[in-house]
Amino acid sequence: MPTHEIKAYVINLDRSPERWELIKDSFLNTNIKLIRVPAIDGADLKVSQADLDKLRPYHGRSFQVGELGCYYSHLKALQTFLEGGDKFSLILEDDARAAPSIKRLPQLVELLSSKDYGTNCMVNLANPPRKYFKKLGKSEISTPIVRTFRFPISGMGILWSRPAASEFLRLHSQPLLPVDCAYRELNRTHRNGYGVLTRLIEGSAGLSSEIGEFGDRNIRSINQGWRLKAWRIKHDFSALRQYLAGE
């Protein structure tokens, strides 16, 4: 099994040092090097109502400032990754924890490095797909990788290749969706999303989201509610079509 060190860029708010200490403890005795990326605090952002309303055509509600802070923090982490020379890196949120199967990550990276699809991929390690996925031939590792036609909604722990990270920054540098939904959108258009059936990253049950209170997130008119449903239906239809076509 390969033993080379893998870098993980951890998004962590300056006001939450205890979360940084907890995630460091979780990844002790792994070959993953954690690098802290100071998160962008939504509470400090100066945004207009027009910026907040950019989500409304898709989800029928406005952004919360914490969602924008989260989005910009992911962009910052991806940019930090690309400033180095690694072919693959993890982007983690600070409530991520190493699952027992994290020891298989080097094996997974080695496999991706040897495959054509691995040159431009993002792999969700925290949320296994529930539908519209396909195993990629005979399993070559103990944690099979699958092609996810409907990329799971979660940004907690994603393994990125350099081309995929560059493509996301090029196409999605301005928030129009929550960041995990933007990842699904990239997969819909570029067909570069993958996953694992056994999670390598898991959440911490004792930590709550720092995005902030969502306020009227779930309060929509009937018309607004259909905007979110239409967005979901579009992605489900696209995923089903690609799945049936084996694309």
Side-chain angles (χ1 to χ4, degrees), residues 119-155:
T119 61
N120 185 7
C121 68
M122 55 179 180
V123 187
N124 195 316
L125 303 181
N127 191 8
R130 291 180 291 177
K131 62 179 181 179
Y132 305 142
F133 64 90
K134 181 177 70 173
K135 292 183 179 180
L136 298 177
K138 183 179 179 180
S139 176
E140 300 177 58
I141 58 175
S142 53
T143 300
I145 187 171
V146 298
R147 168 74 172 94
T148 57
F149 300 97
R150 180 177 178 269
F151 196 69
I153 293 292
S154 172

Side-chain angles (χ1 to χ4, degrees), residues 36-54:
R36 182 178 177 272
V37 177
I40 296 172
D41 198 331
D44 296 332
L45 289 175
K46 296 180 180 179
V47 295
S48 67
Q49 189 60 46
D51 290 328
L52 296 175
D53 285 342
K54 287 179 179 179

Side-chain angles (χ1 to χ4, degrees), residues 1-2 4 6 31 102-111:
M1 179 179 293
H4 63 276
I6 298 169
N31 60 346
I102 194 66
K103 60 187 178 182
R104 301 170 187 167
L105 181 60
Q107 197 179 19
L108 175 60
V109 170
E110 185 176 59
L111 175 65

Side-chain angles (χ1 to χ4, degrees), residues 12-21 36 94 210:
N12 173 250
L13 287 165
D14 289 341
R15 57 181 166 86
S16 300
E18 71 286 350
R19 295 170 76 105
W20 171 239
E21 295 301 322
R36 182 178 177 272
D94 64 6
E210 291 195 309

